[in-house]
């Protein structure tokens, strides 16, 4: 699981120890993600299944894509599909994904890169592995997160942020036992590169066996931890947690998560996706690829899509020899 790594973690800025009197957040719930399939058939874990929306707010949905080692000819993507009313954040850990949209945009993201797409008022897009990866096969692993947009920004113009792995803020825990990648938001005064309509923080942490990580966390934000790989302990209660499970924290000033002393033979470290944001606290009406405030707005989104008002699939151009 490469994402972004460093040769000398001790050369990175250190996260400060918790302030005296800081309240460590308790763990409110622990859920296990069911396995499903997305797009043309690639496997996903539905990270937020079974968690009430108010506990997730401002997040809506998250999939762990893979981890899967494809044989030649097996890699799959998603066909053309619409979105409106939210943002998709695609974070690649292993493998490569190509993107194309109805506005003429597109790009490629690989290990450690993030593509931030604000669907806003509406867009069509497609995500596929590149042809050479389809031919060769290989490891594919990533996360896709849906971030809700406030009512006033639901119909914002679509936009993209391509965040390469080299742009994320890299931090170390005080003892060097954890590498912290800040993708968006502020962590201990260090700002991630992602620009957001809704105030949030996104972190990918790699924690060495037996090590612990305590992060200062905005008291106005909710807080969740999803385990990408390995086994560990969550909260000051040290509740056991493993790959495919999500912990929802309660209120407080810091959040704590630790790696088990030993990991399985294929997992060198404990890998965790930490996220939180300021709740929007608005009604949510959601169906398929649309996240709006009312059922009428969702129906309007389907009508606009069917009428071609969210864009059209670009024509394929043949290359002449």
């Amino acid at each position: 699981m490469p994402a972004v790594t460093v040769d000398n973690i001790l050369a990175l800025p250190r996260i400060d120890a918790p302030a005296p009197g800081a309240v460590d957040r308790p763990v409110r719930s622990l859920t296990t993600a069911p396995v499903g399939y997305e797009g043309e058939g690639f496997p996903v874990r539905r990270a937020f299944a079974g968690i009430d929306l108010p506990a997730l707010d401002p997040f809506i949905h998250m999939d762990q894509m893979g981890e899967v080692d494809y044989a030649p000819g097996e890699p799959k993507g998603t066909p053309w599909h619409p979105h409106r009313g939210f943002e998709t954040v695609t974070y690649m850990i292993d493998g490569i994904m190509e993107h194309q949209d109805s506005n003429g945009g597109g790009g490629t993201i690989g290990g450690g890169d993030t593509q931030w797409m604000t669907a806003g008022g509406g867009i069509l897009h497609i995500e596929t592995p590149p042809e050479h990866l389809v031919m060769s096969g290989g490891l594919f692993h990533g996360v896709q997160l849906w971030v809700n947009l406030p009512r006033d920004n639901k119909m914002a113009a679509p936009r993209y942020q391509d965040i390469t792995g080299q742009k994320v803020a890299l931090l170390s825990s005080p003892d060097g036992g954890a590498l912290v990648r800040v993708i968006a938001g502020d962590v201990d005064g260090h700002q991630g590169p992602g620009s957001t309509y809704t105030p949030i923080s996104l972190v990918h942490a790699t924690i060495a066996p037996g090590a612990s990580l305590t992060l200062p966390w905005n008291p106005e934000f909710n807080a969740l931890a999803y385990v990408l790989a390995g086994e560990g302990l969550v909260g000051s209660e040290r509740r056991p947690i493993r790959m495919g499970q999500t912990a929802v924290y309660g209120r407080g000033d810091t959040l704590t998560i630790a790696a088990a002393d030993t990991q399985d033979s294929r997992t060198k470290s404990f890998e965790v996706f930490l996220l939180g944001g300021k709740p929007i606290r608005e009604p949510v009406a959601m169906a398929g690829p649309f996240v709006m405030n009312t059922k009428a707005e969702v129906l309007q989104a389907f009508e606009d899509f069917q009428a071609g008002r969210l864009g059209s699939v670009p024509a394929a151009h043949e290359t002449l020899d």
Side-chain angles (χ1 to χ4, degrees), residues 6-280:
V6 294
D7 293 329
N8 182 11
I9 192 172
L10 297 178
L12 297 176
R14 305 291 181 89
I15 295 165
D16 290 336
V23 176
D24 200 45
R25 291 174 177 245
V27 176
R28 288 175 48 191
S29 68
L30 202 63
T31 56
T32 301
V35 175
Y37 293 89
E38 187 57 71
E40 296 171 340
F42 62 84
V44 296
R45 287 183 173 87
R46 307 291 192 190
F48 294 161
I51 304 173
D52 293 337
L53 276 177
L56 297 173
D57 187 11
F59 307 112
I60 296 292
H61 170 85
M62 191 168 82
D63 281 340
Q64 180 183 10
M65 305 179 294
E67 177 181 12
V68 58
D69 194 358
Y70 283 120
E74 285 187 343
K76 300 175 176 66
T78 64
W80 284 96
H81 58 284
H83 287 307
R84 172 181 278 181
F86 65 103
E87 300 180 287
T88 63
V89 181
T90 305
Y91 174 59
M92 292 299 297
I93 299 169
D94 292 290
I96 303 171
M97 183 72 81
E98 291 183 339
H99 166 85
Q100 186 181 7
D101 67 64
S102 54
N103 286 351
T108 301
I109 54 173
D113 298 338
T114 302
Q115 183 193 75
W116 204 297
M117 184 184 82
T118 302
I123 198 167
L124 308 181
H125 76 145
I126 185 172
E127 297 158 305
T128 58
E131 183 62 27
H132 70 83
L133 184 61
V134 175
M135 297 297 292
S136 67
L139 199 60
F140 181 87
H141 191 197
V143 173
Q144 185 169 96
L145 171 70
W146 291 12
V147 184
N148 198 11
L149 285 170
R151 187 191 305 270
D152 291 344
N153 302 121
K154 287 286 187 190
M155 301 299 287
R159 71 173 186 178
Y160 293 93
Q161 301 170 70
D162 288 316
I163 303 170
T164 64
Q166 290 70 33
K167 293 180 181 178
V168 301
L170 299 177
L171 309 173
S172 165
S173 59
D175 64 359
L179 171 63
V180 175
R181 309 165 185 85
V182 185
I183 300 167
D186 179 278
V187 174
D188 196 33
H190 299 271
Q191 187 71 37
S195 174
T196 68
Y197 282 98
T198 305
I200 64 173
S201 291
L202 299 181
V203 168
H204 174 196
T206 299
I207 307 174
S212 178
L213 172 66
T214 297
L215 288 179
W217 207 253
N218 189 326
E220 296 184 349
F221 287 10
N222 64 353
L224 305 107
Y226 177 77
V227 179
L228 296 165
E231 298 181 0
L233 305 161
V234 63
S236 54
E237 312 97 311
R238 295 178 66 83
R239 291 180 62 175
I241 190 170
R242 56 179 169 78
M243 183 183 72
Q245 292 189 317
T246 300
V248 177
Y249 292 88
R251 301 172 71 87
D253 306 304
T254 62
L255 58 84
T256 297
I257 192 160
D261 291 338
T262 58
Q263 303 292 331
D264 63 54
S265 59
R266 61 184 299 274
T267 305
K268 292 182 179 180
S269 300
F270 185 49
E271 304 283 348
V272 187
F273 200 62
L274 301 166
L275 61 161
K278 187 173 183 178
I280 297 172

